Amino acid sequence: MSEKSEQNRLGVFKTYKLYVGGKFPRSESGRVYEVTDSKGNWLANAPLSSRKDARDAVVAARKAQGGWAGATAYLRGQILYRVAEMLEGRRDQFVREVAEAEGLSKSKAAAQVDAAIDRWVWYAGWTDKIAQVVGGANPVAGPFFNLSTPEPTGVVTVLAPQESSFLGLVSVIAPVIATGNTAVVIASEKAPLPALSLGEVLATSDLPGGVVNILSGKASEMGPHLAAHLDVNAIDLTGADADLARDLEIAAAANLKRVLRPRTEDFAESPGTDRMTAFLETKTVWHPTGSLGASGSSY
């Protein structure tokens, strides 16, 4: 191709779509909104998700939840590690998107992306260890074995951080799915592009469709619907402002959802186990020993 024809060539703009059930639909409403960089320059049109999109995401998450929770911890760890591998191969793309989204220099954006990749590896290593930390044999009086084991809560709605568009996003998604839950994620409204691109990575990382579902748009529109949805078991309010968090917590209380309240966090710091244990339930099994027989019961 000649230099002149290269100069006349039209660029191919990226079309951003939702990630629901392992597929890439546009919003069923057909709506989009403009995403701009830190200086107000246009970057892309992102789908403006509707409540119908949110319902579809919950259906997909529920369908995938049993299989994902039933997968071995080792397999879940392998898949999370595969996400890190795929991100490493697309590092330059994410560095560019994070730099544009957050107004960072290339070096600072690269540090954010590298930390996000490392975060996937960190949680991949925990998938087969968290049960040993939070479960175990309990000392009881009487001829019984008493064992406690953690189980996933189920379908978790996650309001991603508004400011940390990628490292914060990974820091709230990875612990949810590492422990066997499935996620419906509302991306940062002002900087959704890294989240929507993450969907493309997840789709090529052996992660079953529906385990993570990513929506872009207004948390104030989708959040109340998801907080009141009877097939959502828990909600992470990290990305909600104070007024929205209060309203969503009230809506979630009406159907006994587990709620993780927003708090001040530095996502660059090494994470603990609290985000994993936030969405785990404990099952305790009592099993008789000796002459009482072989039958057992659980509570």
Side-chain angles (χ1 to χ4, degrees):
M1 182 181 293
S2 68
E3 182 178 345
K4 182 177 180 180
S5 61
E6 287 182 356
Q7 292 174 348
N8 293 334
R9 181 176 178 272
L10 293 175
V12 179
F13 289 103
K14 182 175 175 60
T15 301
Y16 289 90
K17 297 182 181 179
L18 308 177
Y19 181 56
V20 176
K23 300 179 180 179
F24 297 94
R26 294 179 172 86
S27 172
E28 63 83 27
S29 67
R31 301 178 301 171
V32 298
Y33 70 102
E34 291 189 356
V35 178
T36 59
D37 64 16
S38 59
K39 297 179 180 179
N41 299 312
W42 180 87
L43 292 175
N45 290 331
L48 185 58
S49 302
S50 67
R51 292 191 298 174
K52 173 64 164 55
D53 294 316
R55 289 197 299 271
D56 290 345
V58 173
V59 170
R62 176 57 62 194
K63 184 177 180 180
Q65 205 278 321
W68 184 242
T72 65
Y74 176 79
L75 177 59
R76 289 200 300 269
Q78 289 289 295
I79 291 174
L80 265 64
Y81 187 85
R82 176 66 172 164
V83 175
E85 285 185 40
M86 299 301 290
L87 277 174
E88 188 75 40
R90 298 177 62 168
R91 179 178 179 274
D92 290 346
Q93 173 195 342
F94 281 92
V95 169
R96 184 184 70 255
E97 289 184 339
V98 170
E100 292 173 341
E102 301 183 28
L104 301 177
S105 66
K106 184 177 180 180
S107 60
K108 290 183 177 180
Q112 292 275 325
V113 172
D114 289 344
I117 294 171
D118 294 345
R119 192 65 41 91
W120 280 110
V121 175
W122 194 86
Y123 279 111
W126 269 101
T127 57
D128 60 355
K129 300 175 182 65
I130 188 66
Q132 301 170 50
V133 173
V134 299
N138 308 310
V140 294
F144 298 96
F145 291 123
N146 184 255
L147 305 173
S148 293
T149 57
E151 294 187 343
T153 298
V155 176
V156 181
T157 290
V158 179
L159 276 66
Q162 293 297 316
E163 300 301 326
S164 184
S165 64
F166 195 55
L167 177 57
L169 173 79
V170 170
S171 297
V172 296
I173 294 177
V176 169
I177 66 172
T179 47
N181 299 288
T182 55
V184 176
V185 181
I186 302 177
S188 167
E189 182 177 346
K190 69 176 184 178
L193 304 187
L196 297 178
S197 290
L198 178 63
E200 299 172 2
V201 171
L202 298 178
T204 54
S205 301
D206 303 325
L207 187 74
V211 172
V212 175
N213 306 274
I214 300 175
L215 307 171
S216 57
K218 297 182 179 297
S220 59
E221 180 177 343
M222 293 178 283
H225 177 70
L226 291 169
H229 199 301
L230 294 178
D231 212 21
V232 172
N233 303 109
I235 187 167
D236 179 350
L237 300 176
T238 295
D241 61 32
D243 291 338
L244 180 60
R246 182 189 64 246
D247 292 344
L248 297 188
E249 190 169 355
I250 292 171
N255 47 78
L256 301 179
K257 280 183 177 50
R258 180 171 284 212
V259 175
L260 183 62
R261 295 182 175 92
R263 55 192 175 180
T264 302
E265 292 182 78
D266 181 358
F267 291 109
E269 294 182 355
S270 297
T273 60
D274 57 328
R275 281 195 166 274
M276 289 183 284
T277 58
F279 300 116
L280 285 174
E281 309 289 344
T282 300
K283 179 175 76 173
T284 300
V285 177
W286 294 73
H287 197 289
T289 61
S291 61
L292 291 180
S295 62
S297 60
S298 62
Y299 299 92

